[in-house]
Amino acid sequence: MVRRGDFFTIKNKIQTGVLFMTTTATFSKRTTSPFRYDTIGSFLRPQALKDARADFAAGKLDAAGLKQVEDAAIIDLIKKEEAAGLKAVSDGEFRRSWWHLDFFWGLQGITKKQLDQGYVFHDEETRAESAYVSGKISGANHPFVDHFKFVRDHVSDGIQVKQTIPAPAQCLAELQRPENVASLRQVYATDAEAVHDLAAAYHQVIEDLYAAGARTIQLDDCTWGMLAGNHAKGAETGEVSDRNDAVLDQNKQLYLQVNNEAIQDLPADLTINTHICRGNYHSTWASAGGYDSVADPLFNHENVQAYYLEYDSDRAGGFEPLKLVSDNKLVVLGLLTSKSGELEDRQTIIDRIHEAAKYVPLDRLCLSTQCGFASTEEGNILTEDQQWAKIALVKSIAEEVWG
């Protein structure tokens, strides 16, 4: 491999002989998110933080004491992210218990709820918590704005801060759960009314984040992965859902509407990306199925700049649906799993990148792990050393492919 600036050389050996074909390509330099190598944003919680959260829950530590531990852990994480070469860093979601519920609970008109059953994952069930509508929804004074400001004030010059939040569609899906829908209907008679207020609430939070200096916001979204899994034969489950095309189409349009309304009319220099996943809890998953049934309208009508896509197993299907990705959008291939500490074969990942480039030009592709390392505070089943080794491999492969 020869590299000079943004140039690189690829040599493809023709298996039938010793003939080589050499081509040279030039790639644009990424100066905004997503970068050629990236993370999804959540990291394994250090033991000191886990202990502090347990003490807080038990009444042995007050909120100020917990914040002090969180602050120290986040500052340490930022230093590690920068040392790993990441151009966009996060707070690791260290102030959250869940990747999504904590944000919902921070919206006005949405309240925490205990349930009898948690989310059902493959061979495992989560803690039983949720969120329900208790009044008109608003985005005023969301605590995540102060969370962003803390990271903003502790990064080095030239390092961007990526603020992750769950997608509006994810919140809508939570409020529509069978256990929560009665509360939703007490406040909002129709889905259209709920979508309007929820989108407006998200829009306000995003504008407040922008005013605080945020220029990269990532919408984490499992709704599309769950729709795909409910509509297609799961690669590993072998089960076919009884959901019909009408239900699928209705949900797709509802999720598209709330997401797009929330991010319309935002400043031109604000990057909005999204991450699509099929569930990530304690190294388990919740859904299986390719992107085929949701690629339209997800890839061609959702108004984001980039898609971070789970592609670490057969559960995600093939790359062909990527042909629907709009020409002005990027795709971050989540080819390395965050569910295991075992490192992937380098050449296999490189080959898969070039396979995806049959559908989206190589210059519009980037690389990351398929999901975060700790979508909930429990974290996935790997060590912190393995976590950073994964990131180092992502960086190394990206530098070889894109220079």
Side-chain angles (χ1 to χ4, degrees):
M1 184 65 63
V2 178
R3 291 194 294 268
R4 289 191 180 92
D6 291 332
F7 294 90
F8 82 109
T9 300
I10 306 171
K11 291 186 177 180
N12 294 317
K13 182 177 181 181
I14 297 179
Q15 299 297 323
T16 56
V18 293
L19 178 64
F20 288 84
M21 178 178 65
T22 302
T23 60
T24 301
T26 303
F27 297 121
S28 57
K29 183 177 177 62
R30 297 293 309 151
T31 58
T32 58
S33 181
F35 294 94
R36 293 299 181 188
Y37 52 90
D38 212 333
T39 67
I40 301 304
S42 69
F43 288 83
L44 295 172
R45 291 4 177 217
Q47 192 59 48
L49 179 54
K50 289 185 175 183
D51 293 342
R53 290 188 68 89
D55 287 345
F56 177 74
K60 299 177 182 178
L61 185 68
D62 61 14
L66 175 60
K67 183 180 183 302
Q68 186 175 13
V69 176
E70 290 173 342
D71 289 353
I74 291 168
I75 291 171
D76 183 62
L77 174 65
I78 291 170
K79 292 177 180 177
K80 290 177 178 177
E81 290 179 90
E82 292 183 1
L86 296 176
K87 303 292 195 306
V89 306
S90 74
D91 65 359
E93 302 179 1
F94 279 7
R95 300 192 197 276
R96 311 183 209 179
S97 176
W98 303 84
W99 65 277
H100 60 325
L101 292 178
D102 294 73
F103 181 88
F104 303 160
W105 298 331
L107 293 169
Q108 305 295 319
I110 293 182
T111 302
K112 186 175 182 177
K113 182 178 185 178
Q114 296 292 327
L115 298 177
D116 294 330
Q117 183 181 41
Y119 304 102
V120 179
F121 277 65
H122 185 63
D123 292 335
E124 194 163 352
E125 183 180 323
T126 72
R127 286 173 283 121
E129 295 179 329
S130 185
Y132 71 97
V133 173
S134 55
K136 289 290 187 179
I137 301 171
S138 163
N141 303 313
H142 200 285
F144 275 35
V145 178
D146 282 338
H147 298 175
F148 167 82
K149 290 177 181 178
F150 183 85
V151 184
R152 175 201 68 187
D153 293 342
H154 288 88
V155 296
S156 300
D157 291 342
I159 300 297
Q160 297 178 23
V161 179
K162 173 163 73 172
Q163 179 64 49
T164 64
I165 62 175
Q170 192 72 48
C171 188
L172 181 63
E174 190 72 26
L175 302 179
Q176 291 177 323
R177 289 179 62 176
E179 304 92 333
N180 299 329
V181 70
S183 298
L184 176 66
R185 288 292 172 252
Q186 287 181 355
V187 180
Y188 295 103
T190 66
D191 285 336
E193 294 173 9
V195 164
H196 178 271
D197 278 10
L198 184 59
Y202 262 83
H203 195 85
Q204 179 172 354
V205 176
I206 292 171
E207 286 190 322
D208 289 347
L209 285 166
Y210 180 84
R215 294 298 179 269
T216 298
I217 294 175
Q218 177 181 298
L219 305 177
D220 294 325
D221 200 345
C222 283
T223 59
W224 300 100
M226 297 305 292
L227 283 181
N230 286 333
H231 192 68
K233 181 176 180 180
E236 296 184 23
T237 65
E239 298 175 355
V240 180
S241 168
D242 59 1
R243 268 191 159 161
N244 58 41
D245 289 343
V247 173
L248 176 73
D249 290 341
Q250 178 183 355
N251 283 320
K252 286 195 296 185
Q253 291 305 317
L254 201 59
Y255 294 160
L256 179 73
Q257 179 185 354
V258 70
N259 284 348
N260 278 347
E261 282 192 20
I263 61 177
Q264 67 184 358
D265 300 325
L266 291 171
D269 62 339
L270 176 60
T271 296
I272 303 289
N273 300 323
T274 191
H275 166 237
I276 311 299
C277 183
R278 291 161 182 77
N280 185 53
Y281 174 79
H282 205 220
S283 293
T284 60
W285 49 270
S287 180
Y291 296 97
D292 309 72
S293 62
V294 298
D296 179 16
L298 173 61
F299 292 158
N300 48 9
H301 292 296
E302 187 162 281
N303 297 324
V304 295
Q305 280 95 327
Y307 301 92
Y308 290 68
L309 298 178
E310 181 179 46
Y311 263 120
D312 66 321
S313 76
D314 291 343
R315 289 184 300 104
F319 294 125
E320 188 173 9
L322 297 181
K323 66 186 179 184
L324 290 181
V325 175
S326 305
D327 292 342
N328 61 336
K329 299 173 184 175
L330 284 82
V331 172
V332 184
L333 299 169
L335 295 173
L336 290 85
T337 189
S338 67
K339 298 180 186 295
S340 165
E342 182 179 355
L343 292 178
E344 286 79 358
D345 177 74
R346 181 186 192 86
Q347 190 58 49
T348 298
I349 299 300
I350 292 173
D351 291 344
R352 294 200 71 200
I353 292 171
H354 288 289
E355 182 183 349
K358 297 175 183 177
Y359 304 100
V360 176
L362 196 56
D363 192 42
R364 287 168 44 215
L365 296 177
C366 303
L367 183 65
S368 75
T369 54
Q370 119 281 350
C371 197
F373 293 98
S375 298
T376 67
E377 60 184 309
E378 287 85 356
N380 285 342
I381 304 173
L382 72 165
T383 68
E384 287 194 39
D385 286 344
Q386 289 174 323
Q387 167 184 266
W388 294 109
K390 285 274 182 176
I391 294 171
L393 182 58
V394 170
K395 179 177 183 290
S396 176
I397 292 174
E399 288 176 337
E400 178 173 342
V401 173
W402 291 282

